Amino acid sequence: GGGGGGGGGGGAPFTLAAPAAQFEAEWLGGDAAVPPPTLSFLARCQPKHSLHELRVATNRELASLPQHGSVRHLELDLACSGGSSGGATCAYATADDLAVCPDNGPALAAKLASRLGLAPAATFALRPRPSAAGGAAPPLPTPCSVEQALRYHADVRAPAPKGLLLMLADACSDGASSARLRHLASPAGKEEYAAHISRDGRGVAELLDDFPSCSPPWSSLLELCPKLTPRYYTISSSPASDPHRAHLTVKVLREPRRGAEARTKEGVCSTQLEGLTAGAPAYVFVRPSFFTLPADPAAPIVMVGPGTGIAPFRAFLRELSTAAVPRPGHVRLYFGCRRPEEDYLYEGELAEHLRSGALSSLRVAFSRAKAQKVYVQHLVAADGAELWGMLQRDAHFYICGGTAMGRDVVGALQRAVAAHGQMSDAAAEGYVKELQAKGRLTQELWS
């Protein structure tokens, strides 16, 4: 779009301006200079949730060839949890979600603090400015330390929003740097912003390196920097089999950026979890999931979970494996990965569940093992008649993984219903929607 034109009637021309600062930092000394414990700080950041500090018991690689993509199996010890709600032990149900508070890490926080001329241990409180709009909420709960703000609050690697660029421009002593940042935030710089900031993933940490003359006010940086938000992982264990630990199955996001392949996209939380050693803390809360086993033990169970989408179904199978007698209803898992020798997650466990009878049938799609790519939706389509028979026996169908896969699996199921239930496409679509409405088709998908 074009730049703003001059105001009518001889008014001043339109200028881009950074949002007005609402708060200022007051640096605390004496007894007040002791920052709160991290659990207390994060509990105030997440006031609606019961937060726990859990310690890592196990962190191991699941992929046979992690150079093609690492997947970590973590076990968090529930027994030593400190709870934000009076020390309550962290409790979960089979296949619940565990929210993890991301951490930029001490090294990046120390580097940024040094660049800003601040001591990581310095403690501050944010006070409203006299000019501030009444009742504005501070960007984070204070008092806290500079390190806590930089590790757990500010998403310093997320693409910098335009208001932040304008504030950084105002804080540059070098005119060319100021003009460059201003241009990126302007309507005229829209395409450059899309490429240089959004596509390339440039956050405030990198911009402070790129523009050494920039010295932004601390409080403005905290107000305008994007916030870190909890990341949700399906718990891949069951309290029936693992009462003292919660297991996570985490794909580590580290891949070339689309359209900027020389730059690497790294997941803040998955790379943090990858690096946690035994005894290290993670700050978490539990969120109930939609995945629950059918009340009727005779109802067939059909689970579709390629890659880390296996997490809730590993939890189901661990629960079913604790039963005194195998359930009468058929239990089928569709799993998918690239190659059997590369990323077949929990292969030994699944074989053991087949031997014990907790799992009745296992169908595995290998997408790169042969010239012809095979995905879970192809196996679902091939098994259409059998799946229609299971649906007639009140089967419950569960799908976990990427949104595109979920859409393709539901499409394959719908076509199977049309073909084997002798229905029109519209009637089959209605039948599948009815399954969802009755809680017999449950999906947990991510993009």
Side-chain angles (χ1 to χ4, degrees):
F14 169 75
T15 53
L16 286 167
Q22 302 286 302
F23 295 87
E24 53 196 343
E26 178 192 336
W27 297 97
L28 305 176
D31 293 345
V34 179
T38 300
L39 179 65
S40 309
F41 169 69
L42 285 167
R44 290 179 66 202
C45 292
Q46 302 291 335
K48 293 179 180 166
H49 302 285
S50 179
L51 219 65
H52 296 270
E53 178 178 332
L54 304 186
R55 300 275 162 180
V56 174
T58 300
N59 186 354
R60 62 184 167 88
E61 180 60 58
L62 284 176
S64 307
L65 296 172
Q67 62 269 34
H68 297 304
S70 170
V71 181
R72 306 298 300 187
H73 173 83
L74 284 97
E75 298 184 14
L76 301 172
D77 193 344
L78 304 177
C80 65
S81 75
S84 61
S85 54
T89 303
C90 185
Y92 74 100
T94 301
D96 273 351
D97 294 329
L98 197 72
V100 180
C101 296
D103 175 5
N104 285 316
L108 182 56
K111 181 183 173 220
L112 273 169
S114 171
R115 167 66 181 81
L116 295 164
L118 301 172
T123 303
F124 67 97
L126 291 178
R127 309 286 186 218
R129 289 174 179 265
S131 58
L140 76 166
T142 58
C144 70
S145 68
V146 168
E147 182 183 28
Q148 286 171 331
L150 290 174
R151 281 180 67 171
Y152 303 106
H153 164 74
D155 194 347
V156 296
R157 290 175 275 181
K162 292 180 179 178
L164 177 58
L165 294 182
L166 291 168
M167 185 276 289
L168 294 176
D170 290 343
C172 286
S173 58
D174 171 63
S177 298
S178 182
R180 171 70 180 146
L181 287 162
R182 233 168 228 298
H183 172 70
L184 283 168
S186 72
K190 186 177 170 187
E191 284 177 20
E192 278 180 82
Y193 178 88
H196 191 73
I197 302 293
S198 300
R199 181 201 68 197
D200 288 3
R202 276 189 174 81
V204 73
E206 192 172 348
L207 291 169
L208 286 171
D209 277 346
D210 294 346
F211 297 98
S213 84
C214 183
S215 48
W218 174 238
S219 56
S220 298
L221 191 73
L222 295 176
E223 284 185 61
L224 298 174
C225 191
K227 292 182 188 188
L228 287 170
T229 54
R231 307 304 203 259
Y232 292 89
Y233 297 95
T234 309
I235 299 174
S236 56
S237 58
S238 163
S241 57
D242 311 282
H244 305 300
R245 290 184 178 182
H247 299 185
L248 298 181
T249 306
V250 178
K251 180 175 174 54
V252 179
L253 177 59
R254 189 180 284 112
E255 62 191 21
R257 285 190 173 274
R258 233 177 266 165
E261 280 69 22
R263 293 176 64 82
T264 303
K265 180 176 186 174
E266 290 196 346
V268 173
C269 200
S270 64
T271 55
Q272 165 205 341
L273 291 171
E274 173 190 36
L276 293 180
T277 51
Y283 299 94
V284 306
F285 59 87
V286 174
R287 178 177 75 173
S289 98
F290 296 109
F291 285 131
T292 52
L293 287 164
D296 178 7
I301 294 170
V302 180
M303 307 171 281
V304 185
T308 55
I310 195 174
F313 310 132
R314 179 181 184 263
F316 277 1
L317 290 168
R318 287 178 80 78
E319 175 160 333
L320 294 172
S321 72
T322 63
V325 288
R327 68 192 300 280
H330 190 95
V331 180
R332 170 169 297 181
L333 172 66
Y334 290 90
F335 176 67
C337 62
R338 290 164 62 89
R339 296 180 184 88
E341 70 280 4
E342 183 179 320
D343 55 349
Y344 192 157
L345 309 181
Y346 302 116
E347 183 179 5
E349 278 188 36
L350 295 176
E352 181 50 45
H353 288 313
L354 277 171
R355 273 195 298 275
S356 74
L359 183 61
S360 317
S361 57
L362 173 63
R363 298 276 277 135
V364 185
F366 298 112
S367 65
R368 301 293 187 278
K370 298 191 174 119
Q372 188 77 26
K373 291 181 180 178
V374 181
Y375 294 107
V376 284
Q377 57 265 32
H378 300 139
L379 300 184
V380 168
D383 297 347
E386 211 180 344
L387 293 173
W388 171 247
M390 288 191 203
L391 286 170
Q392 297 309 286
R393 301 195 302 279
D394 203 29
H396 285 239
F397 213 95
Y398 305 86
I399 308 171
C400 184
T403 43
M405 176 278 303
R407 190 172 53 240
D408 291 345
V409 168
V410 170
L413 182 65
Q414 212 163 284
R415 287 189 292 278
V417 166
H420 304 287
Q422 293 165 337
M423 297 181 203
S424 67
D425 290 347
E429 189 180 345
Y431 180 92
V432 169
K433 280 189 174 151
E434 184 69 8
L435 287 178
Q436 280 181 293
K438 287 179 174 166
R440 285 178 53 203
L441 169 58
T442 311
Q443 304 180 69
E444 196 164 278
L445 308 173
W446 56 83
S447 55

